[in-house]
Amino acid sequence: MPAPAGHIGARVKRGDDPRLLTGRGRYVDDLTLPRMVHVAFVRSVHAHARLARVALDGARRAPGVVGVLTGEDVARLCKPYRGVLLHYKGMKTGAMLPLAVGRVRYVGEPIVALAAQSRAAAEDAAALVDVEFEPLAPVLTPAAALAPDAPLIHPELGDNLLYETRLAAGDPDGAFAAAHRVWTRTFTTGRHTGVPLEPRGLVADYEPATRALTVWISTQVPHMMQAVLAELFGLPEHRLRVIAPDVGGSFGIKIHVYQDDMAACAMALTLGRPVKFVADRRESFLSDIHAREQTIRVEVAADRDGVLTAMRASIEAAVGPYSAYPRSSVVEGGQVLRLLPGPYRVRHYDGALRVVAQNKVVTSQYRAVGHPIAAAVTETMVELVARDLGIDPAELRRRNLVRPEDFPYTTASGNVYDSGSYHAALARLLEVAAYDRLRREQAAARGAGRHVGIGLACFVELTGPGAQFYGVGGAPISGQEGTTVRLEPGGAVTALVGVTDQGQGTHTALAQIIATELDVSLDRVAVHSGDTAMVPYGGGTWASRGMPIGGSATLLAARALGDRIRTLAAALLEAHPADVELLEGRALIRGSPERGLSFGDLARAVHFRSNELRGVEPSLEATVHYTNPAAWTFTNGAHLAVVDVDIETGKVRVLRYVAVDDCGRIVNPALVEGQIAGGVAQGLGGALCEHCVYDEAGQLLSATLMDYAVPTADDVPPIETHHIETPAPGIAGGFKGAGEAGATGAPAAILNAVNDALAPLGVMLTDQPITPERVIQALRRST
């Protein structure tokens, strides 16, 4: 007989009150039970398989279990969702649900969610679930995915090709035909992932009486999550509150919608009580998005003086079985396609991109999205051209970099570089690194039998995008940012901001902007973020937009509050607003400093004695929303690495790293240095050791920190950081982003340094990470 309404197995649907009885017939909101419960998941152990049977009886009877959900249960609560951006014409992908229905498509895909009074009880119950699989052939590489007889990951799509496009400008065929010489290489970049110190986690609490859902979640994008949850679960958006408290690192990992997070929210809706889920480290490796798995075949043409004339590229990006929701999995490949010309005056370009499905974890946006891949490819080719033509690599860059008089510069791929210091950054790098001396020291080291290499990298970084990235494609991701600044009765300043903080010091930088604009001490400014019920609407933190967009909104809001303070002070002091100046937390009459009010006295008058204002609005609060008036703004940099390669073991040791970056107007140099150094460390990991390794069955072999090697303090040398400030001409504060420059430049500089070290042996590496095994294999092939 059908289960009664409210009982496990009952057929509930979106919009119903989905509280259920436990398997033992008790209502789950029985006050004798602990109120918050914990979720664990049964995950797929196959890369590709049909679900023949899922037996739950033993799990339902397990001690402490209060709820069990299958894919079919959750499908009645949650709409299927597809990560498709409409401005990527022709893009397609299969639909996702929080729990697999009928088929699993990667190892780690969640199948069953179980809630119990403790995490241990939930995991014990998960072990009692009996899943019978019918294994299917996994599709793991682009070649296998595109083969005529390839198994279809989503049969309804007709093939495994999710997206393809081509971008061409100038006359590449003619330029290649006329070139002095053409160089061709194929590059591969291995998968890696973010590994934030704090894994993903949430607590979801549903109140059926008001249909209100509150979710505390480790995320960069609370307003996006609010919109997504409301849409997918059919909830009123104004009853849905998302709170992102202090977040322990993210690197882009926490801007996505994850199946297990959605399933945990479905469990909260079902049980009507708080539900907690925190991914353990192995679950993180099996479910956090991966990135970077691409193969790029590139051709570069140049004249006899080393002037680059044309480029061709063919990019294959393997992105897992689904396109990530809602940002998609095609953006990284699209970034590579558009960024390959780099900071150089390449006028003839022909690039093609294919994005294919595979039976591995979903890939999507992760710190520096496509930039490290494009920079490594282009910069390695620049060094190859220089080496073969006998030109110093620094000099070859000078001959090709975009010049100051060229700005704004439109690349052959269509990017508009609004401003920059490409030549100045390279010159500063060569100066502070003592490049000529380094070359002499390198020659001496080689004479002593050591294999020391010097690698350069010049690059650009796209930062501060507006709606052109996602909003125009239909994704519920705000391209604007809001800030509210108010003067409290005690004279302190409170700021409510849409941008979020994951440890990068955003609150400190925004407080500095406010303190400077209002001329108050920093300790009188408090910044709050991350709560959709409290802060103005905004897109959150991604694509290095915190300062360009959030910082500009905060600057303009502080400026607007300053104007309000002047107007109100003028009314109270019987003066003209233009004669009021703000100085050290006081509003003073210019030229008559004895006539003035402290911010506290002013605020108390406005809040408590508004009758004294005589027709002036009694408000000490200002809200400003800001978006980039252009598509984005570009940061640039020049980095140098020195390495020592042990040709007996293949070990690469980084001896020195020097970075020169231009991120526009700098608010807090210490925070910028932290961002650059952290990005460089992450870039070193991607270049040398981090790799999500799969076997031929689609099993992830590097699912623990014993197997997935992140750089340690011993691997990262002291990072020397230097700065140039070229304000962004179209951004209110002149700010540019700084969060991804280090991760962009490091892989290119390291790869070039290793190849420089091994060049006398006739070795050139084009695969990352540059593991000792790959170095040894390359050395053996050269003998």
Side-chain angles (χ1 to χ4, degrees):
M1 61 179 293
H7 194 277
I8 285 181
R11 297 184 66 84
V12 292
K13 62 182 185 298
R14 288 183 296 277
D16 286 349
D17 176 357
R19 285 181 300 172
L20 303 179
L21 291 171
T22 70
R24 294 173 182 162
R26 296 194 304 253
Y27 279 103
V28 295
D29 53 354
D30 186 332
L31 296 180
T32 64
L33 296 177
R35 182 140 174 81
M36 185 164 74
V37 296
H38 301 258
V39 170
F41 292 94
V42 176
R43 298 178 181 272
S44 174
V45 296
H46 291 275
H48 198 192
R50 293 189 185 90
L51 296 175
R53 184 176 62 91
V54 180
L56 303 170
D57 290 346
R60 283 195 171 116
R61 292 192 297 267
V65 171
V66 298
V68 179
L69 291 175
T70 65
E72 289 79 3
D73 297 326
V74 176
R76 290 189 283 271
L77 294 171
C78 179
K79 298 177 184 177
Y81 46 97
R82 290 176 172 83
V84 172
L85 295 174
L86 300 179
H87 57 305
Y88 285 80
K89 301 299 183 183
M91 184 189 170
K92 64 188 180 187
T93 184
M96 253 189 293
L97 282 165
L99 300 174
V101 176
R103 183 186 292 216
V104 289
R105 294 176 171 88
Y106 65 94
V107 172
E109 183 165 14
I111 301 169
V112 179
L114 303 100
Q117 294 175 36
S118 70
R119 175 67 179 256
E123 291 182 348
D124 287 346
L128 299 176
V129 175
D130 183 15
V131 181
E132 181 181 330
F133 297 94
E134 295 178 357
L136 300 169
V139 178
L140 303 175
T141 67
L146 298 175
D149 58 347
L152 297 182
I153 297 174
H154 296 278
E156 69 276 13
L157 298 182
D159 57 34
N160 296 317
L161 181 63
L162 301 185
Y163 177 69
E164 64 179 335
T165 191
R166 186 167 186 167
L167 194 160
D171 180 16
D173 291 341
F176 273 99
H180 168 66
R181 188 168 170 184
V182 174
W183 291 261
T184 303
R185 291 291 186 278
T186 298
F187 293 79
T188 64
T189 304
R191 278 181 170 238
H192 45 281
T193 187
V195 200
L197 184 64
E198 173 197 66
R200 291 184 298 106
L202 63 81
V203 173
D205 188 9
Y206 181 63
E207 174 47 62
T210 58
R211 298 190 69 211
L213 176 66
T214 301
V215 181
W216 293 263
I217 183 170
S218 186
T219 183
Q220 300 168 239
V221 284
H223 280 109
M224 185 201 87
M225 291 304 302
Q226 178 191 42
V228 165
L229 289 166
E231 170 66 19
L232 296 187
F233 288 104
L235 298 171
E237 193 166 341
H238 67 287
R239 299 288 188 193
L240 213 154
R241 181 180 185 185
V242 175
I243 302 169
D246 291 336
V247 173
S250 181
F251 318 121
I253 296 299
K254 298 172 183 175
I255 61 174
H256 306 285
V257 173
Y258 289 93
Q259 290 172 280
D260 45 22
D261 287 345
M262 295 297 100
C265 291
M267 186 68 78
L269 294 171
T270 300
L271 300 179
R273 64 195 293 178
V275 171
K276 180 177 181 179
F277 167 64
V278 178
D280 63 31
R281 188 59 68 187
R282 187 168 192 277
E283 282 183 301
S284 295
F285 279 114
L286 289 171
S287 58
D288 288 358
I289 62 101
H290 296 174
R292 311 283 203 249
E293 184 179 352
Q294 293 191 16
T295 301
I296 302 98
R297 184 182 185 277
V298 64
E299 299 173 80
V300 171
D303 67 18
R304 64 181 66 254
D305 295 321
V307 174
L308 307 178
T309 56
M311 176 183 285
R312 285 197 191 103
S314 175
I315 305 159
E316 286 186 340
V319 299
Y322 307 101
S323 176
Y325 183 80
R327 294 172 188 267
S328 90
S329 297
V330 304
V331 171
E332 185 172 54
Q335 289 276 75
V336 174
L337 180 68
R338 288 167 177 79
L339 289 166
L340 276 172
Y344 303 109
R345 302 188 312 275
V346 178
R347 302 313 306 158
H348 307 285
Y349 179 64
D350 185 359
L353 167 67
R354 292 196 297 181
V355 179
V356 301
Q358 59 178 169
N359 293 115
K360 297 181 183 178
V361 171
V362 173
T363 76
S364 194
Q365 285 76 301
Y366 160 60
R367 191 177 195 171
V369 193
H371 291 72
I373 303 170
V377 170
T378 301
E379 291 303 293
T380 303
M381 296 302 289
V382 165
E383 299 249 336
L384 175 61
V385 172
R387 188 176 300 119
D388 283 357
L389 295 181
I391 302 171
D392 184 272
E395 174 57 30
L396 190 133
R397 286 177 170 84
R398 289 191 194 100
R399 298 178 187 181
N400 289 282
L401 285 168
V402 174
R403 299 161 299 203
E405 63 269 23
D406 296 329
F407 292 108
Y409 180 82
T410 301
T411 71
S413 61
N415 282 332
V416 178
Y417 298 160
D418 56 316
S419 60
S421 55
Y422 301 178
H423 280 267
L426 177 60
R428 181 80 179 278
L429 177 70
L430 301 178
E431 175 191 356
V432 296
Y435 180 72
D436 292 337
R437 189 185 71 203
L438 279 178
R439 287 296 183 191
R440 292 193 296 271
E441 292 173 354
Q442 178 189 35
R446 285 178 171 174
R450 293 172 59 199
H451 299 275
V452 173
I454 300 168
L456 296 173
C458 293
F459 59 88
V460 294
E461 178 201 346
L462 185 156
T463 74
Q468 294 89 339
F469 240 51
Y470 297 114
V472 298
I477 301 166
S478 179
Q480 60 83 42
E481 208 59 62
T483 295
T484 295
V485 183
R486 66 171 178 251
L487 189 64
E488 304 291 359
V493 180
T494 297
L496 308 175
V497 301
V499 290
T500 53
D501 185 80
Q502 297 82 45
Q504 64 269 55
T506 301
H507 287 188
T508 299
L510 296 179
Q512 286 182 261
I513 291 172
I514 295 166
T516 299
E517 188 65 28
L518 298 179
D519 201 13
V520 297
S521 61
L522 190 61
D523 63 359
R524 300 287 285 166
V525 181
V527 178
H528 303 281
S529 67
D531 186 342
T532 60
M534 183 174 69
V535 304
Y537 208 93
T541 301
W542 44 273
S544 296
R545 67 190 296 276
M547 282 299 104
I549 312 301
S552 293
T554 300
L555 172 68
L556 296 177
R559 192 168 291 168
L561 177 59
D563 290 340
R564 284 188 176 274
I565 291 172
R566 292 183 186 92
T567 298
L568 291 160
L572 293 168
L573 296 171
E574 298 182 344
H576 192 279
D579 294 329
V580 178
E581 61 181 347
L582 309 183
L583 184 66
E584 297 179 350
R586 295 175 60 80
L588 307 174
I589 302 301
R590 188 176 287 104
S592 302
E594 72 282 357
R595 294 182 62 202
L597 293 167
S598 71
F599 281 3
D601 290 340
L602 172 70
R604 283 188 289 272
V606 172
H607 287 299
F608 307 140
R609 302 190 307 278
S610 55
N611 59 297
E612 300 177 12
L613 297 177
R614 293 188 296 276
V616 179
E617 181 187 2
S619 170
L620 283 168
E621 181 172 299
T623 298
V624 169
H625 289 262
Y626 183 82
T627 190
N628 191 336
W632 36 67
T633 184
F634 276 89
T635 291
N636 68 273
H639 289 192
L640 178 147
V642 182
V643 304
D644 192 339
V645 181
D646 185 334
I647 64 170
E648 298 298 324
T649 65
K651 174 70 174 176
V652 176
R653 187 160 59 99
V654 184
L655 304 178
R656 190 179 178 197
Y657 199 95
V658 187
V660 175
D661 291 280
D662 185 343
C663 59
R665 176 187 168 197
I666 294 177
V667 176
N668 185 313
L671 294 179
V672 172
E673 289 183 13
Q675 286 292 293
I676 299 299
V680 168
Q682 222 158 0
L684 295 184
L688 295 174
C689 56
E690 294 188 43
H691 196 191
C692 297
V693 180
Y694 283 82
D695 67 12
E696 64 280 358
Q699 297 290 334
L700 181 62
L701 303 180
S702 51
T704 74
L705 287 172
M706 290 292 290
D707 304 298
Y708 185 91
V710 295
T712 67
D714 187 53
D715 299 316
V716 181
I719 298 166
E720 305 166 43
T721 58
H722 304 269
H723 305 287
I724 295 174
E725 295 188 52
T726 304
I731 296 293
F735 312 122
K736 299 180 181 180
E740 297 167 296
T744 297
I750 295 297
L751 181 56
N752 279 338
V754 171
N755 282 332
D756 187 50
L758 299 179
L761 303 176
V763 171
M764 180 179 178
L765 291 162
T766 56
D767 298 327
Q768 294 185 70
I770 311 164
T771 60
E773 180 184 18
R774 282 178 167 166
V775 172
I776 293 298
Q777 289 173 347
L779 288 167
R780 287 174 179 167
R781 287 194 299 268
S782 69
T783 57

